[in-house]
Amino acid sequence: MENSRESELHQRQQVLQVWARQALREALGDDPGALEMLALGGDASFRRYFRATIPGRSVLLVDAPPPQEDNPAFIRAAAEFRVAGLHTPDILAADVVQGFMVLQDFGDQLYLPVLQQAAALADMATVDTLYGQAMNALLLLQSSAAPTHLPPYDRQRLEQEMCLFDQWFCEQMLGMSLSTNERSMLTELRHTLCDTALAQPQTRVHRDYHSRNLMIRQDEGGKLMSSSPPGVIDFQDAVIGAVTYDLVSLLRDCYIVWPESDVQRWLGGYHAQAVDAGILPSDYSLDQFRVDFDLMGLQRHIKVLGIFCRLALRDGKNRYLHDLPVVMDYVCRVSTRHPVMQPFLTWFETGPLPAMQNRLREARVVLS
């Protein structure tokens, strides 16, 4: 089975190579020649990325198999985000039937390693600059008055996502058999968190707006532009949803953690700018915004616990197990502030949490 899968992937790569050459010939009016494809690191999806050099620049070739990836949604979201003023990769060519695309190449510099280095050096000026640019881009996205074709982040979608925690974190990873009372408690929790999300102002939502999906772009000479708006990628799951969703994805990132004082400082600044821009109503207090931010983050992080386990168990991407401790810590720390979370927190800290910690120790994952 594994050899068959590898053979299929190799064949798709060859077809992509031939298609991309012809697509670039049509797009550029000149034959780029035989394309040498360099495989790049993947993400949490089924997409594969390759870098190819053509005269004067490099491009990204994307293999996004249609049974698993919604390529029309990627193209629609790219257009909407660009109209709003964000820097998404130009789509130079696309074949949605085969699942192939040629994209503008933003380079390799993700936010995450730069933020990690800045944190190690206590260089908060760099951190503030990068987060300032990321939040400015998010404000542009949320304030855009252009028509939208994005689907709603409705109750069904929100609750289905949270059910991933029950299925993949509790049942599949830990082998738990949830009791009737436990299922009832989790159902009530989902309803509460979804009510909070749906009561917030609704805006365009990237849905995975964090340090691994934001890039420091390069100028024409190849120099990094850390003081310029970021390149935004991995936006194909965009929806119309809660105004706090992308902000909590950014500030309570699953891959890098900041002191709560910094998170609250950034949150306060964002709230003031969003009110000034008309994204938030003037009577939407900072205190209420903080509560909504926390509860939206809990919806996201409980969901992510299930997603990371699914990525490990179903897709063989075990590296995501190393990110579980950060997300579990977010869930516990933020839940302590909100009485509505107490039944879940008591249950989680006495059952699933220690069970998962034991499982991760067996897998030699550092819990910190």
Side-chain angles (χ1 to χ4, degrees):
M1 182 67 74
E2 187 66 27
N3 289 338
S4 175
R5 173 64 176 159
E6 290 178 2
S7 176
E8 178 186 348
L9 292 176
H10 180 66
Q11 183 178 15
R12 282 190 63 85
Q13 181 176 335
Q14 290 179 313
V15 176
L16 171 62
Q17 185 176 35
V18 173
W19 172 84
R21 180 176 180 178
Q22 177 61 31
L24 286 167
R25 182 188 295 122
E26 295 173 2
L28 305 176
D30 192 20
D31 187 355
L35 299 175
E36 296 293 330
M37 298 168 60
L38 174 66
L40 303 178
D43 54 21
S45 72
F46 290 90
R47 291 183 300 274
R48 295 190 300 158
Y49 298 91
F50 304 88
R51 177 170 286 128
T53 300
I54 62 176
R57 58 175 163 163
S58 63
V59 294
L60 291 185
L61 311 184
V62 184
D63 175 12
Q68 290 85 26
E69 300 297 332
D70 189 345
N71 295 301
F74 179 95
I75 294 169
R76 287 194 300 269
E80 280 202 28
F81 280 35
R82 187 167 286 274
V83 167
L86 275 66
H87 292 271
T88 60
D90 288 331
I91 301 174
L92 305 177
D95 184 331
V96 297
V97 175
Q98 295 193 86
F100 296 152
M101 288 183 283
V102 181
L103 305 181
Q104 176 186 6
D105 187 1
F106 279 159
D108 295 313
Q109 192 58 75
L110 296 174
Y111 259 40
L112 181 58
V114 178
L115 290 169
Q116 289 171 328
Q117 182 180 34
L121 297 173
D123 178 10
M124 287 305 296
T126 294
V127 174
D128 282 337
T129 295
L130 292 177
Y131 275 101
Q133 290 295 342
M135 289 188 286
N136 287 340
L138 190 52
L139 289 164
L140 283 178
L141 181 66
Q142 294 179 335
S143 62
S144 173
T148 183
H149 299 284
L150 300 178
Y153 209 176
D154 57 18
R155 181 176 298 276
Q156 180 181 6
R157 193 182 299 248
L158 287 161
E159 292 199 7
Q160 283 178 343
E161 289 179 346
M162 290 190 70
C163 286
L164 297 174
F165 169 80
D166 306 23
Q167 179 183 0
W168 290 97
F169 187 95
C170 295
E171 296 171 352
Q172 295 294 326
M173 181 63 79
L174 297 179
M176 295 177 61
S177 295
L178 296 173
S179 69
T180 300
N181 287 340
E182 288 170 330
R183 291 188 184 280
S184 177
M185 179 271 295
L186 290 169
T187 297
E188 185 174 348
L189 173 68
R190 286 194 293 270
H191 289 168
T192 298
L193 295 181
C194 290
D195 286 345
T196 301
L198 294 169
Q200 294 180 36
Q202 304 291 291
T203 66
R204 285 180 175 86
V205 174
H206 176 291
R207 210 159 154 214
D208 222 7
Y209 197 76
H210 56 68
S211 60
R212 286 184 175 173
N213 287 331
L214 298 173
M215 304 190 71
I216 301 177
R217 296 179 297 118
Q218 301 176 353
D219 62 20
E220 293 183 357
K223 182 179 179 181
L224 294 176
M225 302 186 295
S226 58
S227 296
S228 297
V232 179
I233 61 174
D234 206 15
F235 42 75
Q236 65 282 338
D237 294 325
V239 291
I240 300 298
V243 67
T244 59
Y245 191 94
D246 281 341
L247 188 63
V248 80
S249 303
L250 179 69
L251 301 185
R252 291 209 177 111
D253 193 329
C254 297
Y255 309 111
I256 188 167
V257 180
W258 300 103
E260 189 62 20
S261 58
D262 289 320
V263 172
Q264 294 302 322
R265 174 169 59 86
W266 293 322
L267 181 64
Y270 192 89
H271 174 269
Q273 288 180 280
V275 170
D276 288 344
I279 298 167
L280 299 178
S282 58
D283 60 352
Y284 193 174
S285 71
L286 177 57
D287 286 343
Q288 184 60 52
F289 191 64
R290 292 185 198 279
V291 171
D292 288 346
F293 175 86
D294 276 359
L295 296 181
M296 189 74 260
L298 286 165
Q299 187 277 342
R300 173 174 169 79
H301 289 130
I302 290 170
K303 168 189 72 174
V304 166
L305 290 177
I307 290 175
F308 284 176
C309 290
R310 184 176 66 181
L311 285 166
L313 294 172
R314 187 192 69 183
D315 304 332
K317 297 180 179 181
N318 291 322
R319 65 184 182 275
Y320 287 95
L321 295 179
H322 295 268
D323 300 309
L324 282 174
V326 164
V327 186
M328 293 189 299
D329 184 61
Y330 278 143
V331 169
C332 293
R333 284 195 295 111
V334 177
S335 291
T336 60
R337 304 174 192 164
H338 302 282
V340 71
M341 295 299 302
Q342 288 312 304
F344 171 83
L345 180 61
T346 300
W347 169 78
F348 184 68
E349 289 187 324
T350 56
L353 177 63
M356 182 60 77
Q357 289 171 332
N358 288 335
R359 182 69 186 270
L360 293 177
R361 288 189 191 97
E362 294 170 0
R364 299 183 184 278
V365 172
V366 176
L367 298 178
S368 72

